[in-house]
Coordinates of all heavy atoms in Angstrom, one line a residue:
M1451 N 7.0 -0.4 -20.3 CA 7.3 -0.9 -19.0 C 7.0 -2.4 -18.9 O 5.9 -2.8 -19.4 CB 6.6 -0.1 -17.9 CG 7.0 -0.4 -16.5 SD 6.1 0.6 -15.3 CE 6.2 -0.5 -13.9
E1452 N 7.9 -3.1 -18.3 CA 7.6 -4.5 -18.0 C 6.4 -4.7 -17.2 O 6.1 -4.0 -16.3 CB 8.8 -5.2 -17.3 CG 9.9 -5.6 -18.2 CD 11.0 -6.2 -17.3 OE1 11.7 -5.5 -16.7 OE2 11.1 -7.5 -17.2
E1453 N 5.6 -5.8 -17.5 CA 4.5 -6.2 -16.6 C 4.9 -7.3 -15.7 O 5.6 -8.2 -16.1 CB 3.3 -6.6 -17.5 CG 2.7 -5.6 -18.4 CD 2.0 -4.5 -17.7 OE1 1.4 -4.8 -16.6 OE2 2.2 -3.3 -18.0
P1454 N 4.4 -7.3 -14.4 CA 4.7 -8.3 -13.6 C 3.9 -9.6 -13.9 O 2.9 -9.5 -14.5 CB 4.3 -7.8 -12.2 CG 3.3 -6.8 -12.5 CD 3.6 -6.2 -13.9
V1455 N 4.4 -10.7 -13.4 CA 3.6 -12.0 -13.6 C 2.5 -12.0 -12.6 O 2.7 -11.8 -11.4 CB 4.5 -13.2 -13.4 CG1 3.7 -14.5 -13.5 CG2 5.6 -13.2 -14.5
V1456 N 1.3 -12.2 -13.1 CA 0.1 -12.4 -12.1 C 0.2 -13.8 -11.5 O 0.1 -14.8 -12.2 CB -1.2 -12.2 -12.9 CG1 -2.4 -12.5 -11.9 CG2 -1.3 -10.8 -13.5
V1457 N 0.6 -13.8 -10.3 CA 0.8 -15.1 -9.6 C -0.6 -15.8 -9.3 O -0.8 -17.0 -9.5 CB 1.6 -15.0 -8.3 CG1 1.9 -16.3 -7.7 CG2 2.9 -14.3 -8.6
Q1458 N -1.4 -15.0 -8.6 CA -2.8 -15.5 -8.4 C -3.8 -14.3 -8.3 O -3.3 -13.2 -8.0 CB -2.8 -16.3 -7.1 CG -2.5 -15.6 -5.8 CD -2.6 -16.4 -4.6 OE1 -2.4 -17.7 -4.6 NE2 -2.8 -15.8 -3.4
K1459 N -5.0 -14.5 -8.5 CA -6.0 -13.5 -8.5 C -6.7 -13.4 -7.2 O -7.9 -13.5 -7.1 CB -7.0 -13.8 -9.7 CG -6.4 -13.7 -11.1 CD -7.4 -14.0 -12.1 CE -6.7 -14.0 -13.5 NZ -7.7 -14.4 -14.6
A1460 N -5.8 -13.4 -6.2 CA -6.3 -13.3 -4.8 C -5.1 -12.9 -3.9 O -3.9 -13.1 -4.3 CB -6.8 -14.6 -4.3
P1461 N -5.3 -12.2 -2.8 CA -4.2 -11.9 -1.9 C -3.7 -13.2 -1.2 O -4.3 -14.2 -1.1 CB -4.8 -10.9 -1.0 CG -6.2 -11.3 -0.9 CD -6.6 -11.8 -2.3
Y1462 N -2.5 -13.1 -0.6 CA -1.9 -14.0 0.3 C -2.2 -13.5 1.7 O -1.6 -12.5 2.1 CB -0.4 -14.2 0.1 CG 0.0 -14.8 -1.1 CD1 0.2 -14.1 -2.3 CD2 0.2 -16.2 -1.2 CE1 0.6 -14.7 -3.5 CE2 0.6 -16.8 -2.4 CZ 0.8 -16.0 -3.5 OH 1.2 -16.6 -4.7
V1463 N -3.2 -14.0 2.3 CA -3.6 -13.6 3.6 C -2.9 -14.5 4.7 O -3.1 -15.7 4.7 CB -5.1 -13.6 3.9 CG1 -5.5 -13.1 5.3 CG2 -5.8 -12.8 2.8
M1464 N -2.1 -13.9 5.5 CA -1.3 -14.7 6.5 C -1.1 -13.9 7.8 O -0.9 -12.7 7.7 CB 0.0 -15.2 5.9 CG 0.9 -14.1 5.3 SD 2.3 -14.9 4.6 CE 1.7 -15.7 3.1
K1465 N -1.0 -14.6 8.9 CA -0.6 -14.0 10.1 C 0.9 -13.6 10.0 O 1.7 -14.5 9.6 CB -0.8 -15.0 11.3 CG -0.7 -14.4 12.6 CD -1.0 -15.4 13.7 CE -2.2 -14.8 14.5 NZ -2.5 -15.6 15.7
T1466 N 1.2 -12.4 10.2 CA 2.5 -11.9 9.9 C 3.2 -11.3 11.2 O 2.6 -10.4 11.8 CB 2.4 -10.9 8.8 OG1 1.7 -11.4 7.7 CG2 3.8 -10.4 8.4
E1467 N 4.4 -11.9 11.6 CA 5.1 -11.4 12.7 C 5.8 -10.1 12.4 O 6.2 -9.8 11.3 CB 6.2 -12.5 13.1 CG 5.6 -13.7 13.6 CD 6.7 -14.8 13.8 OE1 7.9 -14.4 13.8 OE2 6.4 -15.9 14.0
P1468 N 6.0 -9.3 13.5 CA 6.7 -8.0 13.3 C 8.2 -8.3 12.8 O 9.0 -8.9 13.5 CB 6.7 -7.4 14.6 CG 5.8 -8.2 15.5 CD 5.7 -9.5 14.8
R1469 N 8.5 -7.7 11.7 CA 9.8 -7.7 11.1 C 9.8 -7.1 9.7 O 8.7 -6.8 9.2 CB 10.6 -9.0 11.1 CG 10.0 -10.1 10.2 CD 11.0 -11.3 10.2 NE 10.4 -12.4 9.4 CZ 10.6 -12.5 8.1 NH1 11.3 -11.7 7.4 NH2 10.1 -13.6 7.4
K1470 N 10.9 -7.0 9.1 CA 10.9 -6.5 7.7 C 10.7 -7.6 6.7 O 11.3 -8.7 6.9 CB 12.3 -5.8 7.4 CG 12.3 -4.4 8.0 CD 13.6 -3.7 7.5 CE 13.6 -2.2 8.1 NZ 14.9 -1.7 7.9
Y1471 N 9.9 -7.3 5.7 CA 9.7 -8.3 4.6 C 10.1 -7.7 3.3 O 9.8 -6.5 3.1 CB 8.2 -8.7 4.6 CG 7.8 -9.5 5.9 CD1 7.4 -8.8 7.0 CD2 7.8 -10.9 5.9 CE1 7.1 -9.5 8.2 CE2 7.5 -11.6 7.1 CZ 7.1 -10.9 8.2 OH 6.8 -11.6 9.3
A1472 N 10.5 -8.6 2.4 CA 10.7 -8.1 1.0 C 9.7 -8.8 0.1 O 9.7 -10.0 -0.2 CB 12.1 -8.6 0.5
W1473 N 8.7 -8.0 -0.3 CA 7.5 -8.5 -1.1 C 8.0 -8.6 -2.5 O 8.6 -7.7 -3.1 CB 6.3 -7.5 -0.9 CG 5.2 -7.9 -1.7 CD1 4.2 -8.8 -1.5 CD2 4.8 -7.2 -3.0 NE1 3.3 -8.8 -2.5 CE2 3.6 -7.8 -3.4 CE3 5.4 -6.2 -3.8 CZ2 3.0 -7.5 -4.6 CZ3 4.8 -5.9 -5.0 CH2 3.6 -6.4 -5.4
C1474 N 7.7 -9.7 -3.1 CA 8.0 -9.9 -4.6 C 7.2 -9.0 -5.5 O 5.9 -9.2 -5.5 CB 7.9 -11.4 -4.9 SG 8.0 -11.7 -6.7
A1475 N 7.8 -8.2 -6.3 CA 7.1 -7.3 -7.2 C 7.0 -7.9 -8.6 O 6.2 -7.5 -9.4 CB 7.7 -5.9 -7.2
C1476 N 7.9 -8.8 -8.9 CA 8.0 -9.3 -10.3 C 7.0 -10.5 -10.6 O 6.7 -10.7 -11.7 CB 9.4 -9.7 -10.6 SG 10.0 -11.2 -9.8
G1477 N 6.7 -11.2 -9.5 CA 5.9 -12.4 -9.7 C 6.6 -13.7 -10.1 O 6.0 -14.7 -10.3
L1478 N 7.9 -13.6 -10.1 CA 8.8 -14.8 -10.4 C 9.3 -15.6 -9.3 O 9.7 -16.7 -9.5 CB 10.0 -14.3 -11.3 CG 9.6 -13.6 -12.6 CD1 10.9 -13.1 -13.2 CD2 8.9 -14.6 -13.5
S1479 N 9.2 -15.1 -8.1 CA 9.7 -15.8 -6.9 C 9.0 -17.1 -6.7 O 7.7 -17.3 -6.9 CB 9.5 -15.0 -5.6 OG 9.8 -15.7 -4.5
Q1480 N 9.7 -18.2 -6.3 CA 9.1 -19.5 -5.9 C 8.6 -19.5 -4.5 O 8.0 -20.4 -4.0 CB 10.1 -20.6 -6.1 CG 10.6 -20.7 -7.5 CD 9.5 -21.1 -8.5 OE1 8.8 -22.1 -8.3 NE2 9.3 -20.3 -9.6
G1481 N 8.8 -18.4 -3.8 CA 8.5 -18.3 -2.4 C 7.4 -17.2 -2.1 O 7.6 -16.4 -1.2
Q1482 N 6.4 -17.2 -3.0 CA 5.4 -16.1 -2.9 C 4.8 -16.0 -1.5 O 4.6 -17.0 -0.8 CB 4.3 -16.3 -3.9 CG 4.8 -16.2 -5.3 CD 5.2 -14.7 -5.6 OE1 4.7 -13.8 -5.1 NE2 6.2 -14.6 -6.5
P1483 N 4.4 -14.8 -1.0 CA 4.5 -13.6 -1.8 C 5.8 -12.8 -1.6 O 5.9 -11.6 -1.9 CB 3.4 -12.7 -1.1 CG 3.4 -13.2 0.4 CD 3.8 -14.6 0.3
F1484 N 6.9 -13.4 -1.2 CA 8.1 -12.8 -0.9 C 9.2 -13.0 -1.9 O 9.1 -14.0 -2.6 CB 8.6 -13.2 0.6 CG 7.5 -13.0 1.6 CD1 7.0 -14.0 2.3 CD2 7.0 -11.7 1.8 CE1 6.0 -13.9 3.2 CE2 6.0 -11.5 2.8 CZ 5.5 -12.6 3.5
C1485 N 10.1 -12.1 -1.9 CA 11.3 -12.2 -2.9 C 12.2 -13.3 -2.6 O 12.6 -13.5 -1.4 CB 12.0 -10.8 -2.8 SG 13.5 -10.7 -3.9
D1486 N 12.6 -14.0 -3.6 CA 13.7 -15.0 -3.5 C 14.9 -14.7 -4.4 O 15.8 -15.5 -4.6 CB 13.1 -16.4 -3.8 CG 12.8 -16.6 -5.3 OD1 12.9 -15.7 -6.1 OD2 12.5 -17.8 -5.6
G1487 N 14.9 -13.5 -5.0 CA 16.1 -13.1 -5.9 C 15.8 -13.3 -7.3 O 16.7 -13.0 -8.1
A1488 N 14.7 -14.0 -7.7 CA 14.4 -14.3 -9.1 C 14.2 -13.1 -10.0 O 14.2 -13.2 -11.2 CB 13.1 -15.2 -9.1
H1489 N 14.1 -11.9 -9.4 CA 13.9 -10.7 -10.2 C 15.2 -10.3 -10.9 O 15.2 -9.4 -11.8 CB 13.4 -9.5 -9.4 CG 14.3 -9.2 -8.3 ND1 14.3 -9.8 -7.0 CD2 15.4 -8.4 -8.3 CE1 15.3 -9.3 -6.3 NE2 16.0 -8.4 -7.0
K1490 N 16.3 -10.9 -10.6 CA 17.6 -10.5 -11.2 C 17.5 -10.5 -12.7 O 17.0 -11.5 -13.4 CB 18.7 -11.5 -10.8 CG 19.4 -11.0 -9.6 CD 20.8 -11.7 -9.4 CE 21.3 -11.3 -8.1 NZ 21.7 -12.4 -7.2
G1491 N 17.9 -9.4 -13.3 CA 17.9 -9.3 -14.8 C 16.6 -8.7 -15.4 O 16.4 -8.5 -16.5
T1492 N 15.6 -8.5 -14.4 CA 14.3 -7.8 -14.8 C 14.4 -6.4 -14.3 O 15.4 -6.0 -13.7 CB 13.1 -8.5 -14.1 OG1 13.1 -8.2 -12.8 CG2 13.1 -10.0 -14.4
G1493 N 13.5 -5.6 -14.7 CA 13.4 -4.2 -14.2 C 12.8 -4.1 -12.8 O 12.6 -3.0 -12.3
F1494 N 12.5 -5.2 -12.2 CA 11.8 -5.2 -10.9 C 12.7 -5.3 -9.8 O 13.8 -5.9 -9.8 CB 10.7 -6.3 -10.8 CG 9.6 -6.1 -11.8 CD1 9.6 -6.7 -13.0 CD2 8.5 -5.4 -11.4 CE1 8.5 -6.6 -13.9 CE2 7.4 -5.2 -12.3 CZ 7.5 -5.8 -13.5
S1495 N 12.3 -4.8 -8.6 CA 13.0 -5.1 -7.4 C 12.0 -5.2 -6.3 O 10.8 -4.6 -6.4 CB 14.1 -4.0 -7.0 OG 13.4 -2.7 -7.1
P1496 N 12.2 -5.9 -5.2 CA 11.2 -6.1 -4.2 C 10.8 -4.8 -3.4 O 11.6 -3.8 -3.4 CB 11.9 -7.1 -3.2 CG 13.3 -6.9 -3.4 CD 13.5 -6.5 -4.9
I1497 N 9.7 -4.8 -2.8 CA 9.3 -3.7 -1.9 C 9.5 -4.2 -0.5 O 9.1 -5.2 -0.1 CB 7.8 -3.3 -2.1 CG1 7.6 -2.7 -3.5 CG2 7.3 -2.4 -1.0 CD1 6.2 -2.3 -3.8
I1498 N 10.3 -3.4 0.2 CA 10.6 -3.7 1.6 C 9.5 -3.1 2.5 O 9.2 -1.8 2.4 CB 12.0 -3.1 2.0 CG1 13.1 -3.6 1.0 CG2 12.3 -3.5 3.5 CD1 13.2 -5.1 0.9
E1499 N 8.9 -3.9 3.3 CA 7.8 -3.4 4.2 C 8.1 -3.9 5.6 O 8.4 -5.1 5.8 CB 6.5 -4.0 3.7 CG 5.3 -3.5 4.5 CD 5.0 -2.0 4.3 OE1 5.2 -1.5 3.1 OE2 4.6 -1.3 5.2
E1500 N 8.1 -3.0 6.6 CA 8.2 -3.4 8.0 C 6.9 -3.5 8.6 O 6.0 -2.6 8.6 CB 9.1 -2.3 8.7 CG 9.3 -2.8 10.1 CD 10.4 -2.0 10.8 OE1 10.8 -0.9 10.4 OE2 10.9 -2.5 11.9
I1501 N 6.6 -4.7 9.1 CA 5.4 -4.9 10.0 C 5.8 -4.7 11.4 O 6.8 -5.3 11.9 CB 4.9 -6.4 9.7 CG1 4.6 -6.6 8.2 CG2 3.7 -6.7 10.5 CD1 3.5 -5.7 7.6
T1502 N 5.0 -3.9 12.1 CA 5.5 -3.5 13.5 C 4.7 -4.2 14.6 O 5.2 -4.3 15.7 CB 5.3 -2.0 13.7 OG1 3.9 -1.6 13.4 CG2 6.3 -1.3 12.8
V1503 N 3.5 -4.8 14.2 CA 2.8 -5.6 15.2 C 2.3 -6.8 14.5 O 2.0 -6.8 13.3 CB 1.6 -4.9 15.9 CG1 2.1 -3.7 16.7 CG2 0.7 -4.4 14.8
E1504 N 2.2 -8.0 15.3 CA 1.7 -9.2 14.6 C 0.2 -9.0 14.2 O -0.6 -8.5 15.0 CB 1.8 -10.3 15.6 CG 1.3 -11.6 15.0 CD 1.5 -12.8 15.9 OE1 2.6 -13.2 16.2 OE2 0.5 -13.4 16.3
R1505 N -0.1 -9.2 13.0 CA -1.5 -9.0 12.4 C -1.6 -9.9 11.2 O -0.6 -10.3 10.6 CB -1.7 -7.6 12.2 CG -0.8 -7.0 11.1 CD -1.1 -5.4 11.0 NE -0.2 -4.8 10.1 CZ -0.4 -4.5 8.9 NH1 -1.6 -4.9 8.3 NH2 0.4 -3.9 8.1
N1506 N -2.9 -10.0 10.8 CA -3.1 -10.6 9.5 C -2.9 -9.6 8.4 O -3.4 -8.5 8.5 CB -4.6 -11.1 9.4 CG -4.8 -12.4 10.2 OD1 -3.9 -13.2 10.3 ND2 -5.9 -12.5 10.9
V1507 N -2.1 -10.0 7.4 CA -1.7 -9.1 6.3 C -2.3 -9.8 5.1 O -2.1 -11.0 4.8 CB -0.2 -8.9 6.3 CG1 0.2 -8.1 5.0 CG2 0.3 -8.2 7.5
A1508 N -2.9 -9.0 4.2 CA -3.3 -9.4 2.8 C -2.3 -8.9 1.8 O -2.4 -7.8 1.4 CB -4.7 -8.9 2.5
W1509 N -1.2 -9.7 1.6 CA -0.2 -9.4 0.6 C -0.8 -9.5 -0.8 O -1.4 -10.5 -1.1 CB 1.0 -10.3 0.8 CG 1.6 -10.3 2.1 CD1 1.5 -11.2 3.1 CD2 2.6 -9.3 2.7 NE1 2.2 -10.8 4.2 CE2 2.9 -9.7 3.9 CE3 3.2 -8.2 2.1 CZ2 3.8 -9.0 4.8 CZ3 4.1 -7.5 2.9 CH2 4.4 -7.9 4.2
C1510 N -0.5 -8.6 -1.6 CA -1.0 -8.6 -3.0 C -0.4 -9.9 -3.8 O 0.8 -10.1 -3.7 CB -0.6 -7.4 -3.8 SG -0.9 -7.4 -5.5
G1511 N -1.3 -10.6 -4.4 CA -0.9 -11.8 -5.1 C -1.0 -11.6 -6.6 O -0.3 -12.4 -7.3
C1512 N -1.6 -10.6 -7.1 CA -1.7 -10.3 -8.6 C -0.6 -9.4 -9.0 O -0.4 -9.3 -10.2 CB -3.1 -9.8 -9.0 SG -3.4 -8.1 -8.5
K1513 N 0.0 -8.7 -8.1 CA 1.2 -7.8 -8.3 C 0.7 -6.5 -9.0 O 1.5 -5.8 -9.5 CB 2.3 -8.5 -9.2 CG 2.7 -9.8 -8.7 CD 3.2 -9.8 -7.2 CE 3.6 -11.1 -6.7 NZ 4.1 -11.1 -5.3
L1514 N -0.6 -6.3 -9.1 CA -1.1 -5.1 -9.7 C -1.7 -4.1 -8.8 O -2.3 -3.0 -9.2 CB -2.2 -5.5 -10.8 CG -1.6 -6.4 -11.9 CD1 -2.8 -6.9 -12.8 CD2 -0.5 -5.8 -12.7
S1515 N -1.7 -4.3 -7.5 CA -2.3 -3.4 -6.5 C -1.7 -2.0 -6.6 O -0.5 -1.8 -6.9 CB -2.0 -3.9 -5.1 OG -2.4 -3.0 -4.1
K1516 N -2.5 -1.0 -6.3 CA -2.0 0.4 -6.3 C -1.5 0.7 -4.9 O -1.0 1.7 -4.7 CB -3.1 1.4 -6.7 CG -3.4 1.2 -8.2 CD -4.6 2.1 -8.6 CE -5.0 1.9 -10.1 NZ -5.5 0.5 -10.3
T1517 N -1.7 -0.2 -4.0 CA -1.2 0.0 -2.6 C -0.2 -1.1 -2.3 O -0.3 -1.7 -1.2 CB -2.3 0.0 -1.6 OG1 -3.0 -1.2 -1.7 CG2 -3.3 1.2 -1.9
K1518 N 0.7 -1.5 -3.2 CA 1.7 -2.5 -3.0 C 2.5 -2.2 -1.7 O 2.8 -1.1 -1.5 CB 2.7 -2.6 -4.2 CG 2.1 -2.9 -5.5 CD 3.1 -2.8 -6.6 CE 2.6 -3.1 -7.9 NZ 1.7 -2.1 -8.5
P1519 N 2.8 -3.2 -0.9 CA 2.7 -4.6 -1.2 C 1.3 -5.2 -0.7 O 1.2 -6.5 -0.7 CB 3.8 -5.2 -0.3 CG 3.8 -4.3 0.9 CD 3.6 -3.0 0.4
F1520 N 0.4 -4.4 -0.4 CA -0.9 -4.9 0.2 C -2.0 -4.9 -0.9 O -2.0 -4.2 -1.9 CB -1.4 -4.0 1.3 CG -0.3 -3.8 2.4 CD1 0.2 -2.6 2.7 CD2 0.2 -5.0 3.1 CE1 1.2 -2.4 3.6 CE2 1.2 -4.8 4.0 CZ 1.7 -3.5 4.3
C1521 N -2.9 -5.9 -0.7 CA -4.0 -6.0 -1.7 C -4.9 -4.8 -1.6 O -5.3 -4.3 -0.5 CB -4.8 -7.3 -1.3 SG -6.3 -7.6 -2.2
D1522 N -5.4 -4.4 -2.7 CA -6.4 -3.3 -2.9 C -7.6 -3.7 -3.6 O -8.4 -2.9 -4.0 CB -5.8 -2.0 -3.5 CG -5.6 -2.1 -4.9 OD1 -5.6 -3.2 -5.5 OD2 -5.2 -1.1 -5.6
G1523 N -7.7 -5.0 -4.0 CA -8.8 -5.5 -4.7 C -8.7 -5.5 -6.2 O -9.6 -5.8 -6.9
S1524 N -7.5 -5.0 -6.7 CA -7.3 -5.0 -8.1 C -7.5 -6.3 -8.9 O -7.8 -6.3 -10.0 CB -5.9 -4.4 -8.5 OG -5.8 -3.0 -8.1
H1525 N -7.2 -7.4 -8.1 CA -7.4 -8.7 -8.8 C -8.8 -9.0 -9.3 O -9.0 -9.8 -10.1 CB -6.9 -9.8 -7.8 CG -7.8 -9.8 -6.5 ND1 -7.4 -9.1 -5.4 CD2 -8.9 -10.5 -6.2 CE1 -8.4 -9.4 -4.5 NE2 -9.2 -10.2 -4.9
A1526 N -9.7 -8.3 -8.7 CA -11.2 -8.5 -9.1 C -11.4 -8.0 -10.5 O -12.4 -8.4 -11.1 CB -12.1 -7.7 -8.1
E1527 N -10.5 -7.1 -11.1 CA -10.7 -6.6 -12.4 C -10.0 -7.5 -13.5 O -10.0 -7.2 -14.7 CB -10.2 -5.2 -12.4 CG -11.0 -4.3 -11.7 CD -10.3 -2.9 -11.3 OE1 -9.4 -2.6 -12.1 OE2 -10.7 -2.4 -10.3
L1528 N -9.4 -8.6 -13.0 CA -8.7 -9.4 -14.0 C -9.5 -10.5 -14.6 O -10.5 -10.9 -14.0 CB -7.4 -10.1 -13.3 CG -6.4 -9.2 -12.8 CD1 -5.3 -9.9 -12.0 CD2 -5.7 -8.5 -13.9
Ligands
FES136 S1 11.8 -12.3 -6.9 FE1 10.2 -11.0 -7.4 S2 10.9 -9.0 -6.7 FE2 12.5 -10.4 -6.1

């Protein structure tokens, strides 16, 4: 199985408005942590997540979380 690119060993913590988001799973997007279509030709596709209330979200930045698209602390093991 293909491995995603580790973009950073920390989450992207940001205030996030309610709407649907496409989280980048491959690590190739230039607009992290979200998909920009760069996964084309890889085995990856984005994870669609709907945020229903404005809140701070810790989006996974290492792409290895077991609770994608959210950070679960997996980056600490890199
Ligand atoms: S650019 Fe990474 S999943 Fe789309």
Side-chain angles (χ1 to χ4, degrees):
M1451 189 182 154
E1452 275 182 281
E1453 293 294 322
V1455 173
V1456 175
V1457 182
Q1458 63 178 26
K1459 296 177 184 176
Y1462 292 89
V1463 180
M1464 53 181 71
K1465 188 175 247 186
T1466 306
E1467 293 176 11
R1469 68 173 175 86
K1470 282 187 180 168
Y1471 293 86
W1473 176 82
C1474 170
C1476 68
L1478 298 173
S1479 171
Q1480 297 298 306
Q1482 293 295 329
F1484 305 117
C1485 175
D1486 70 355
H1489 62 269
K1490 268 197 187 125
T1492 72
F1494 291 96
S1495 52
I1497 291 179
I1498 308 301
E1499 184 69 36
E1500 182 164 17
I1501 301 297
T1502 55
V1503 292
E1504 183 175 296
R1505 62 185 173 96
N1506 283 325
V1507 175
W1509 301 99
C1510 172
C1512 71
K1513 310 301 178 184
L1514 301 174
S1515 172
K1516 291 177 183 61
T1517 58
K1518 299 177 183 68
F1520 306 118
C1521 175
D1522 72 349
S1524 290
H1525 60 270
E1527 293 161 24
L1528 295 173

